[in-house]
Amino acid sequence: MQDKPVVILTPAPQRRDRIFTASALARLQDRFTVVDLEADHPADAWDSALPHAMAIIGQPDLDAETIARALKLRAVLNVEGNFFPNIDYRAAFARGIRVLACGPAYSQAVAEFSLGLALDIARGISREDRAARNGAERYVAEGNTDAVLLRGSDVGIIGFGNLGRALRPMLVPFAPHIRVYDPWLPDAVLREQDVEPSGLDDLLRASRFVFMFATVTGESEHLLDARRLALLPDGARLVLVSRAPVVDYSALLPELRSGRLHAGIDVWPEEPIPADDPYRAVDNVVISGHRAGGITAAFESIGDMVVDDLELIAAGLPPARMQAAAPELVSRYRNRPVSGAENATRRQ
Amino acid sequence: MQDKPVVILTPAPQRRDRIFTASALARLQDRFTVVDLEADHPADAWDSALPHAMAIIGQPDLDAETIARALKLRAVLNVEGNFFPNIDYRAAFARGIRVLACGPAYSQAVAEFSLGLALDIARGISREDRAARNGAERYVAEGNTDAVLLRGSDVGIIGFGNLGRALRPMLVPFAPHIRVYDPWLPDAVLREQDVEPSGLDDLLRASRFVFMFATVTGESEHLLDARRLALLPDGARLVLVSRAPVVDYSALLPELRSGRLHAGIDVWPEEPIPADDPYRAVDNVVISGHRAGGITAAFESIGDMVVDDLELIAAGLPPARMQAAAPELVSRYRNRPVSGAENATRRQ
Amino acid sequence: MQDKPVVILTPAPQRRDRIFTASALARLQDRFTVVDLEADHPADAWDSALPHAMAIIGQPDLDAETIARALKLRAVLNVEGNFFPNIDYRAAFARGIRVLACGPAYSQAVAEFSLGLALDIARGISREDRAARNGAERYVAEGNTDAVLLRGSDVGIIGFGNLGRALRPMLVPFAPHIRVYDPWLPDAVLREQDVEPSGLDDLLRASRFVFMFATVTGESEHLLDARRLALLPDGARLVLVSRAPVVDYSALLPELRSGRLHAGIDVWPEEPIPADDPYRAVDNVVISGHRAGGITAAFESIGDMVVDDLELIAAGLPPARMQAAAPELVSRYRNRPVSGAENATRRQ
Amino acid sequence: MQDKPVVILTPAPQRRDRIFTASALARLQDRFTVVDLEADHPADAWDSALPHAMAIIGQPDLDAETIARALKLRAVLNVEGNFFPNIDYRAAFARGIRVLACGPAYSQAVAEFSLGLALDIARGISREDRAARNGAERYVAEGNTDAVLLRGSDVGIIGFGNLGRALRPMLVPFAPHIRVYDPWLPDAVLREQDVEPSGLDDLLRASRFVFMFATVTGESEHLLDARRLALLPDGARLVLVSRAPVVDYSALLPELRSGRLHAGIDVWPEEPIPADDPYRAVDNVVISGHRAGGITAAFESIGDMVVDDLELIAAGLPPARMQAAAPELVSRYRNRPVSGAENATRRQ
């Protein structure tokens, strides 16, 4: 028992049993000495385990002093989708401590949801289903006056991280012309992915479908403002699934109301959406409550990712499944660990 | 002028200007002497044009006697999605006359719509949008209790004609296990398409997602009856976009009401759907009014297909875009030309 | 026994046991009454079987009078890659008799071989292997002075029948710009395949790799002559695997000798290649003896295709695996059944 | 001038003008103050530039003391395919200095070459070309007795780093069953790539085609020894393009001579290959002189990668094109910088 590496498990605000299947938990406990701070533990469990821990599963505050006491620490595996500013990354990196997040756990779920939203607003699926509930459905061509194909269309992707990379192969069979705006990536990286690098304004002017995958940084606040939304061609379809602050929702509203644009929206400036939010009455929008990523299959993959990477780290190999914090980027993130339901859905 | 081949245009119940763009019509008129029976014509236009016509665009009745009078006829290009029993195919084939239909015009639209329905019911997109309109939307995991991924799932396709072939490449990025039931195709044809040939019952037992693309024949009536629907695993998703008679809707209803199955439905035993149809109140269904194929892009592709194939036929080459009637199959189809809006949506 | 449909088997110059595996033959004999004219049969076997035969496997002469005697004939399944002029197609089509050929049996083999030749001449694989046998191999960059990538390159395909369609998906991962010249196909058919329709001269001017898949017709003789070969950019790679007459080999020779072009060649104006043929001494060419299609896996697929399609025909369904003769094209083919080794390799 | 970040350029044993196109060099000089140690420089250029350098392009010895003097150093961009032990990685990482290598520059070239070798030995392309030079070519089926298809075959990939990931998409159109052995990767990573994780012995027993992409570590020496080679099925095809020490060439020789196996080999225990090496006379092998990666397009991509990543680093963003040294792995590599032609071809 004493030979197994010590791992501290403190997943809050996530919950152990949502992110670990029984088999993943058994694998974790079989390979490691798990100090489970979610279960019943003496008050000093953290302090006494810290100097012996090879790894921490969770996102506790880790200042330089705390890191200094974690003499054997080699990795912090947060079980959320983003990196948070409650770690002294400089102190961790100087020690060679890996800081990992599980954003990739949500990528497939978000990408599938995004494609589903895009096809929905391309064809009015939710809108006509709503109409049918009121006996007002329209048949054949009458219900299709503004329907468009995805095949062969111009598609814009804003932000080409995990989400963009997960979506791209799903678009390929539609033979689209894909433009990507990502100021953090050289053009060559995008061309290797068979997409066209583009400025943001050019992307908006050209695209019938736009997927907004940008994360929140100082520069991306209201990246889509009234001026930029006006660049979109009539009938454009907008899929918003990353973070609400990157779009000016008050500028978007009249574009949807007028029927000029269509949108599928999963993230909102305020959640829950206020009862009197005017978006609730707009016809050209599909409303979703921050559900793109947080599905059971995604949650359960987190535990597997954690155990897989812990095994690699224990074997002296680099982690292969979670996303490692980049020293250059950590200071740019504005995320913070959050409580309750919301926590699973912040994504990069 | 007299040297151009004569083509009779009689598209009813389709309409000339819905299926021909201005440029397609100009191309048609530039290459052929068009006798346009939709426009203003003398009563005997048909009879006087018939002996000189190289081709007929449309689906008029053509019995053996009429075909005998069409001395120069080489092709009948119907502008609907199916073949109809109002032609004496034997007489046409004996003369080497091609009979063509434009089912392929709708395949892409139907396939995209089908994938959209599948992703919608996988994730409850329309259902939660409906809830949001009543202020009852659920957030994150609470709204995702029955959400599933398409990636890596078992997918069944019933009928592997134009629609199945159009859908298959769109599924590939999801790395599914695809089983196909098609009694008209040898296993080797399916294996060449990288899908697994399957009996129908085995397909139903194994599949999380089922796409019903079967056409109506004597054997396919109520192909999905209560016994077969019961074979589907709990939580299965059913996409119905081909023809209503192939499913027993009264047997499906309780499976949806109980929450055991989910369905996206575009075709109905009676259209318009009766005002008191119980399906209108079922939560686990997405209701669509026969809209999968009949979009502007599909209609407008018909004229292009017609002119492309007419040019080939005039040049002594085989048609390459429309679907040629197979002598073995024409007697099996139960379709008939229909009036008004419905006509565009019957598909194979 | 008497209830099984009668099938006449006369595969010469093919051989029964090369094209039928034991299991395919067993399946044939189980489902049909086989009159095997390759095995020991009385002299009048053909004449006595003909009036009863549902199908003929092979490519015997079938003039109108013979067809008239074949009262029950519904299909002729030739077991070669092309259609031959020894059938009165008009008489067959008037009776609704299907004439089928098994070109598709060779498509995969030819396409893989073509890609192998293209990669070989892109990188000098055979050339440097030859050098190594003489102790003259060159290392690393020294052996790579004219090596090029396939990825991202301009590719031209001449003729987009079975072979072009089999090759195209293999090229997709290389993200090439594919231009296709095929005068028998409308542009829209090519665009649906995600390739760019092109004139032949434009294709040649633009392409680093050219695949010659054209079949022999009156118009395609010396399609690539000195003038057209000169259009190819310096360093272009030419893959010749369809039929020799479509290229002027005497015009190609100096282009290879000078080092300006590279070629992989499987078909030759004279076969066997004359002992003193100057091509034997050219360094920039890979020489192959008509081997692109005739591999065991291809031969053995023929029997499977034949039995699959016979079963469909017996069930009143259209054949699904072999290629049906197009009335418009049969008069254009110049092929004839040939003896011995060559027979397997004629392809469309 | 003094405001541009300082970059030291010391590419030996690479050469500046092989890895930088004129435009890449211009871009480098436009954005950075380049201290070019390959060009004519005073003897103390290194020592005087070091304290001011933001980055070093090349692979000079960097011990802890040297790194300590490089006060502003943020990245070392080596211009070879691997990491070398002449850097004190611990000292670099403690400072947050990125160490990058350009292995990805060679991946596409090696993957294309590997597929070319596989198709060559599947079909005997080089072997029959060699025969033709001696007037001994064989035609059609006679030359194809051991020819096999790639389509639908069992493929094994040993080592799934850059090369395996570059090759995999090229195999997809052949619908193979791909097994991968990589002890550094969890099964889930491989399954996400749609390949089957496998033990090495099981992989060898099952595979008709095997691609050896393993790098050299203490554990991988003679990974393919006589026992393991014997596991391969008769007629298996082996592609060796990574590093020679991972295969026992003396054990492989009799398997090739007997005709039981076929191989395409680009790396050799001794290079140049000795004049009397028995491999030179073996028919079932394609011999290549370490040419898989070192083509002009690969070399020239290095300069682009370097400038792209330098620009990102200067902007405070993580590098996106070169491969970052993993702290866990650097001690395992056995590579060393080498002189002359060989240097470009060591790959991971």
Side-chain angles (χ1 to χ4, degrees):
Chain A
M1 184 78 167
Q2 65 275 38
D3 291 324
K4 295 189 204 172
V6 173
V7 170
I8 299 176
L9 175 62
T10 176
Q14 270 284 17
R15 298 195 323 269
R16 188 191 74 177
D17 291 347
R18 184 154 77 175
I19 59 177
F20 283 93
T21 61
S23 76
L25 192 61
R27 192 153 65 98
L28 179 71
Q29 292 169 332
D30 180 58
R31 295 291 318 277
F32 301 95
T33 297
V34 180
V35 179
D36 183 347
L37 300 186
E38 184 180 289
D40 187 36
H41 266 282
D44 63 348
W46 166 262
D47 284 330
S48 58
L50 191 62
H52 309 288
M54 182 195 82
I56 297 168
I57 304 172
Q59 38 281 323
D61 293 345
L62 292 172
D63 59 18
E65 182 272 333
T66 307
I67 291 172
R69 286 191 288 134
L71 301 172
K72 299 185 169 175
L73 192 64
R74 286 157 61 188
V76 178
L77 302 92
N78 96 33
V79 290
E80 306 227 11
N82 286 309
F83 297 101
F84 305 114
N86 66 336
I87 295 184
D88 188 322
Y89 288 94
R90 185 184 303 258
F93 293 147
R95 285 266 308 283
I97 296 168
R98 292 274 192 182
V99 182
L100 305 171
C102 50
Y106 301 107
S107 303
Q108 181 68 21
V110 177
E112 292 195 7
F113 196 83
S114 300
L115 181 61
L117 284 180
L119 291 172
D120 187 305
I121 56 180
R123 305 297 290 275
I125 292 177
S126 288
R127 183 189 64 196
E128 295 299 317
D129 171 77
R130 255 185 275 133
R133 308 301 172 147
N134 301 320
E137 76 276 10
R138 295 171 293 179
Y139 289 84
V140 198
E142 280 67 27
N144 279 331
T145 51
D146 57 5
V148 295
L149 287 181
L150 178 51
R151 180 166 176 92
S153 64
D154 288 276
V155 173
I157 299 178
I158 301 175
F160 205 67
N162 292 330
L163 300 184
R165 285 164 207 255
L167 177 67
R168 193 197 63 82
M170 298 176 196
L171 296 176
V172 168
F174 298 89
H177 184 151
I178 304 179
R179 290 173 184 81
V180 170
Y181 169 71
D182 191 321
W184 293 3
L185 292 176
D187 289 356
V189 169
L190 298 176
R191 289 205 192 92
E192 283 167 5
Q193 297 273 328
D194 302 330
V195 297
E196 179 186 329
S198 173
L200 180 53
D201 286 5
D202 287 341
L203 178 153
L204 294 169
R205 272 187 210 100
S207 298
R208 166 176 285 178
F209 292 89
V210 171
F211 295 89
M212 168 51 87
F213 291 151
T215 190
V216 181
T217 67
E219 301 97 60
S220 64
E221 178 111 5
H222 282 200
L223 194 65
L224 293 193
D225 56 14
R227 182 188 71 79
R228 286 214 169 100
L229 290 167
L231 298 177
L232 285 162
D234 289 355
R237 270 71 177 172
L238 192 53
V239 174
L240 306 181
V241 296
S242 60
R243 303 293 309 279
V246 297
V247 178
D248 180 349
Y249 280 64
S250 63
L252 177 59
L253 184 64
E255 294 273 37
L256 299 172
R257 270 185 173 151
S258 74
R260 199 182 85 80
L261 301 181
H262 304 246
I265 306 183
D266 188 50
V267 290
W268 301 88
E270 195 178 339
E271 295 183 11
I273 306 167
D276 60 349
D277 191 309
Y279 273 89
R280 290 188 187 271
V282 176
D283 215 34
N284 263 21
V285 69
V286 175
I287 300 175
S288 174
H290 219 134
R291 302 188 309 113
I295 70 173
T296 305
F299 291 137
E300 294 188 344
S301 72
I302 293 176
D304 285 321
M305 293 170 71
V306 163
V307 183
D308 279 346
D309 276 352
L310 280 176
E311 290 189 352
L312 291 168
I313 291 165
L317 292 169
R321 300 200 62 199
M322 297 177 74
Q323 187 161 28
E328 296 86 353
L329 292 184
V330 286
S331 67
R332 299 193 179 223
Y333 293 118
R334 302 294 165 89
N335 308 295
R336 26 189 85 250
V338 288
S339 61
E342 196 193 355
N343 77 324
T345 63
R346 300 181 169 277
R347 28 187 191 272
Q348 180 175 6
Chain B
M1 184 78 167
Q2 65 275 37
D3 290 324
K4 295 189 204 173
V6 173
V7 170
I8 299 175
L9 175 62
T10 176
Q14 271 284 18
R15 298 195 323 269
R16 189 190 75 177
D17 290 346
R18 184 153 78 176
I19 58 177
F20 284 92
T21 60
S23 76
L25 191 61
R27 192 154 64 100
L28 180 72
Q29 291 169 332
D30 180 58
R31 295 291 318 277
F32 302 95
T33 298
V34 180
V35 179
D36 184 347
L37 301 186
E38 184 181 289
D40 188 35
H41 266 280
D44 63 348
W46 167 262
D47 283 329
S48 57
L50 191 63
H52 309 289
M54 182 195 83
I56 297 167
I57 305 172
Q59 39 280 324
D61 293 345
L62 292 171
D63 58 19
E65 183 271 334
T66 307
I67 291 172
R69 286 192 289 136
L71 300 172
K72 297 184 170 176
L73 191 65
R74 285 157 64 186
V76 179
L77 301 93
N78 94 34
V79 289
E80 305 228 11
N82 287 308
F83 296 101
F84 304 114
N86 65 336
I87 294 183
D88 188 323
Y89 289 94
R90 185 184 303 259
F93 293 146
R95 284 266 307 283
I97 296 167
R98 292 274 193 184
V99 182
L100 306 171
C102 51
Y106 301 108
S107 303
Q108 181 67 22
V110 177
E112 292 195 8
F113 196 84
S114 299
L115 181 61
L117 285 180
L119 291 171
D120 187 305
I121 56 179
R123 304 298 289 278
I125 291 176
S126 288
R127 185 189 63 196
E128 296 299 317
D129 172 76
R130 257 184 273 133
R133 307 300 172 148
N134 301 320
E137 75 277 9
R138 295 171 294 180
Y139 289 83
V140 198
E142 280 67 27
N144 279 332
T145 51
D146 56 4
V148 296
L149 287 181
L150 178 51
R151 181 167 175 92
S153 64
D154 289 276
V155 173
I157 299 177
I158 301 175
F160 204 67
N162 292 332
L163 300 185
R165 285 164 208 254
L167 176 66
R168 194 197 62 82
M170 298 178 197
L171 296 176
V172 168
F174 298 89
H177 184 150
I178 304 179
R179 291 173 183 81
V180 171
Y181 169 70
D182 191 322
W184 293 1
L185 291 176
D187 289 357
V189 169
L190 298 176
R191 289 205 191 91
E192 282 166 6
Q193 297 273 328
D194 301 329
V195 297
E196 179 186 329
S198 173
L200 179 55
D201 286 6
D202 287 342
L203 178 153
L204 294 169
R205 273 187 208 100
S207 298
R208 167 176 285 178
F209 291 89
V210 172
F211 295 89
M212 168 51 87
F213 291 150
T215 190
V216 181
T217 67
E219 301 97 59
S220 65
E221 176 112 8
H222 282 199
L223 194 65
L224 293 193
D225 55 14
R227 182 188 72 77
R228 286 214 169 101
L229 290 167
L231 298 177
L232 285 162
D234 289 355
R237 268 73 176 171
L238 192 53
V239 173
L240 306 181
V241 295
S242 61
R243 302 294 307 278
V246 297
V247 178
D248 180 348
Y249 280 64
S250 63
L252 176 59
L253 183 64
E255 295 273 37
L256 299 172
R257 270 186 174 149
S258 73
R260 201 182 85 77
L261 302 181
H262 304 246
I265 307 183
D266 189 49
V267 290
W268 302 89
E270 196 177 338
E271 295 182 10
I273 307 167
D276 61 349
D277 191 308
Y279 273 90
R280 289 188 186 271
V282 176
D283 215 35
N284 263 21
V285 69
V286 175
I287 300 175
S288 175
H290 219 133
R291 301 188 311 112
I295 71 174
T296 305
F299 291 137
E300 294 188 343
S301 72
I302 293 175
D304 285 321
M305 294 170 71
V306 163
V307 183
D308 279 346
D309 276 352
L310 280 176
E311 290 190 350
L312 290 168
I313 290 165
L317 292 169
R321 299 200 63 198
M322 297 178 74
Q323 188 161 28
E328 297 86 354
L329 292 183
V330 286
S331 68
R332 301 192 178 224
Y333 293 117
R334 302 294 167 89
N335 308 296
R336 28 189 84 250
V338 288
S339 62
E342 196 192 356
N343 77 325
T345 64
R346 302 180 168 277
R347 34 188 185 269
Q348 178 174 6
Chain C
M1 184 77 167
Q2 65 273 38
D3 291 325
K4 296 189 203 173
V6 173
V7 169
I8 300 175
L9 175 61
T10 175
Q14 269 286 17
R15 298 194 323 269
R16 187 191 74 176
D17 290 347
R18 184 154 77 175
I19 58 176
F20 283 93
T21 61
S23 77
L25 192 60
R27 192 153 65 99
L28 180 71
Q29 291 169 331
D30 180 57
R31 294 291 318 277
F32 302 95
T33 297
V34 180
V35 179
D36 183 347
L37 301 186
E38 184 181 290
D40 188 33
H41 266 281
D44 62 349
W46 167 261
D47 284 329
S48 58
L50 191 62
H52 308 288
M54 182 195 82
I56 297 168
I57 304 172
Q59 39 283 321
D61 293 344
L62 292 172
D63 58 18
E65 182 272 332
T66 307
I67 290 173
R69 285 192 290 135
L71 301 172
K72 298 184 169 178
L73 192 65
R74 286 157 60 187
V76 179
L77 301 92
N78 97 34
V79 290
E80 307 228 9
N82 286 310
F83 296 101
F84 305 115
N86 66 336
I87 294 184
D88 187 323
Y89 288 93
R90 185 184 303 257
F93 293 146
R95 284 266 308 282
I97 297 168
R98 292 273 193 183
V99 183
L100 305 171
C102 51
Y106 301 109
S107 302
Q108 181 67 23
V110 176
E112 292 196 8
F113 196 83
S114 299
L115 181 61
L117 285 179
L119 291 171
D120 187 306
I121 57 180
R123 306 296 291 275
I125 291 176
S126 287
R127 183 189 66 196
E128 295 300 316
D129 171 77
R130 257 184 272 132
R133 309 300 173 146
N134 301 320
E137 75 276 9
R138 296 170 294 179
Y139 289 84
V140 198
E142 281 68 27
N144 279 332
T145 51
D146 56 5
V148 294
L149 287 181
L150 178 51
R151 179 167 177 89
S153 63
D154 288 277
V155 173
I157 300 178
I158 301 174
F160 204 67
N162 294 330
L163 300 184
R165 284 164 208 254
L167 177 66
R168 194 197 62 83
M170 298 178 196
L171 296 176
V172 168
F174 297 91
H177 184 151
I178 304 179
R179 288 173 185 81
V180 170
Y181 170 71
D182 191 320
W184 293 2
L185 291 177
D187 289 356
V189 169
L190 299 176
R191 290 204 191 93
E192 281 167 6
Q193 297 273 327
D194 302 329
V195 298
E196 179 186 328
S198 173
L200 180 54
D201 286 6
D202 287 341
L203 178 153
L204 295 169
R205 274 187 208 102
S207 298
R208 167 176 283 177
F209 291 89
V210 172
F211 295 89
M212 170 50 88
F213 291 151
T215 190
V216 181
T217 67
E219 301 97 59
S220 65
E221 177 112 8
H222 282 199
L223 195 65
L224 293 194
D225 56 13
R227 181 187 72 78
R228 286 216 170 100
L229 290 167
L231 298 177
L232 285 162
D234 289 356
R237 270 70 178 174
L238 193 53
V239 173
L240 306 180
V241 297
S242 60
R243 303 293 308 281
V246 296
V247 178
D248 180 349
Y249 281 64
S250 63
L252 176 59
L253 183 64
E255 295 273 38
L256 299 172
R257 269 186 174 149
S258 73
R260 200 182 84 80
L261 301 181
H262 305 247
I265 306 181
D266 188 50
V267 290
W268 301 88
E270 196 178 339
E271 295 182 13
I273 306 165
D276 60 350
D277 190 310
Y279 272 90
R280 290 188 186 272
V282 176
D283 215 33
N284 264 21
V285 70
V286 175
I287 301 175
S288 175
H290 218 134
R291 302 188 309 113
I295 71 173
T296 304
F299 291 138
E300 294 188 344
S301 71
I302 294 176
D304 285 321
M305 293 170 72
V306 163
V307 183
D308 279 346
D309 275 352
L310 280 175
E311 291 190 350
L312 290 168
I313 291 165
L317 292 168
R321 300 200 63 198
M322 298 178 73
Q323 187 160 28
E328 297 86 353
L329 292 183
V330 288
S331 68
R332 300 193 178 223
Y333 293 119
R334 303 293 167 87
N335 308 296
R336 28 190 84 252
V338 290
S339 61
E342 196 192 354
N343 75 324
T345 62
R346 300 181 169 277
R347 37 191 183 269
Q348 179 175 4
Chain D
M1 182 78 168
Q2 64 275 38
D3 291 326
K4 294 190 205 172
V6 173
V7 169
I8 300 176
L9 175 61
T10 175
Q14 269 286 16
R15 297 194 323 269
R16 188 191 74 177
D17 290 347
R18 184 153 77 175
I19 60 177
F20 284 92
T21 60
S23 75
L25 192 60
R27 191 154 64 100
L28 179 72
Q29 291 168 332
D30 179 58
R31 295 291 318 275
F32 302 96
T33 298
V34 180
V35 180
D36 183 347
L37 301 186
E38 185 181 291
D40 188 34
H41 266 281
D44 62 349
W46 168 260
D47 284 329
S48 58
L50 191 62
H52 309 288
M54 182 196 81
I56 297 167
I57 304 171
Q59 38 282 321
D61 294 344
L62 291 171
D63 59 18
E65 183 272 332
T66 307
I67 290 172
R69 283 193 289 134
L71 301 172
K72 298 185 169 176
L73 192 64
R74 286 157 62 187
V76 179
L77 301 92
N78 96 33
V79 291
E80 307 229 9
N82 286 309
F83 296 101
F84 305 114
N86 66 336
I87 294 183
D88 188 322
Y89 289 94
R90 185 182 305 257
F93 293 146
R95 284 266 306 283
I97 297 168
R98 292 273 193 185
V99 183
L100 306 170
C102 51
Y106 301 108
S107 302
Q108 182 67 22
V110 176
E112 292 196 8
F113 196 84
S114 299
L115 181 61
L117 284 180
L119 290 172
D120 187 305
I121 56 180
R123 305 298 290 276
I125 291 176
S126 287
R127 184 188 66 196
E128 296 299 317
D129 171 76
R130 259 185 271 131
R133 308 301 173 147
N134 301 320
E137 77 277 8
R138 295 170 294 180
Y139 289 84
V140 197
E142 281 67 26
N144 278 332
T145 52
D146 56 5
V148 294
L149 287 181
L150 178 51
R151 181 168 175 89
S153 63
D154 288 277
V155 173
I157 299 178
I158 301 174
F160 204 68
N162 293 332
L163 300 184
R165 285 164 207 254
L167 177 65
R168 194 196 62 82
M170 297 178 197
L171 296 176
V172 167
F174 298 91
H177 184 151
I178 304 179
R179 289 172 184 81
V180 170
Y181 170 72
D182 192 320
W184 293 2
L185 290 177
D187 290 356
V189 170
L190 298 176
R191 289 203 192 94
E192 282 167 5
Q193 297 274 327
D194 302 330
V195 298
E196 179 186 328
S198 173
L200 181 54
D201 286 7
D202 287 342
L203 178 154
L204 295 169
R205 273 187 208 101
S207 298
R208 166 176 284 177
F209 291 88
V210 172
F211 294 89
M212 169 51 88
F213 291 150
T215 190
V216 181
T217 66
E219 302 97 59
S220 65
E221 176 112 10
H222 281 198
L223 194 66
L224 292 193
D225 56 13
R227 181 187 73 78
R228 286 217 170 97
L229 290 167
L231 298 177
L232 286 162
D234 289 356
R237 268 72 179 173
L238 193 53
V239 172
L240 306 180
V241 295
S242 60
R243 302 293 308 277
V246 297
V247 178
D248 181 349
Y249 281 64
S250 64
L252 176 59
L253 183 63
E255 295 273 38
L256 298 172
R257 270 186 174 149
S258 74
R260 199 182 84 79
L261 301 181
H262 304 247
I265 306 182
D266 188 50
V267 290
W268 301 88
E270 197 177 338
E271 295 182 9
I273 306 166
D276 60 350
D277 190 310
Y279 272 90
R280 290 187 186 272
V282 176
D283 215 34
N284 265 21
V285 70
V286 174
I287 301 174
S288 175
H290 218 133
R291 303 187 309 111
I295 70 173
T296 304
F299 290 138
E300 294 188 345
S301 71
I302 294 176
D304 285 321
M305 293 170 72
V306 163
V307 183
D308 279 346
D309 276 351
L310 279 175
E311 291 189 351
L312 290 168
I313 291 165
L317 292 169
R321 299 200 62 197
M322 299 177 72
Q323 188 160 28
E328 297 86 353
L329 292 182
V330 287
S331 67
R332 300 193 178 220
Y333 293 118
R334 302 294 167 87
N335 308 296
R336 29 189 84 251
V338 290
S339 62
E342 195 191 357
N343 77 325
T345 64
R346 301 179 169 277
R347 35 188 184 270
Q348 180 175 2

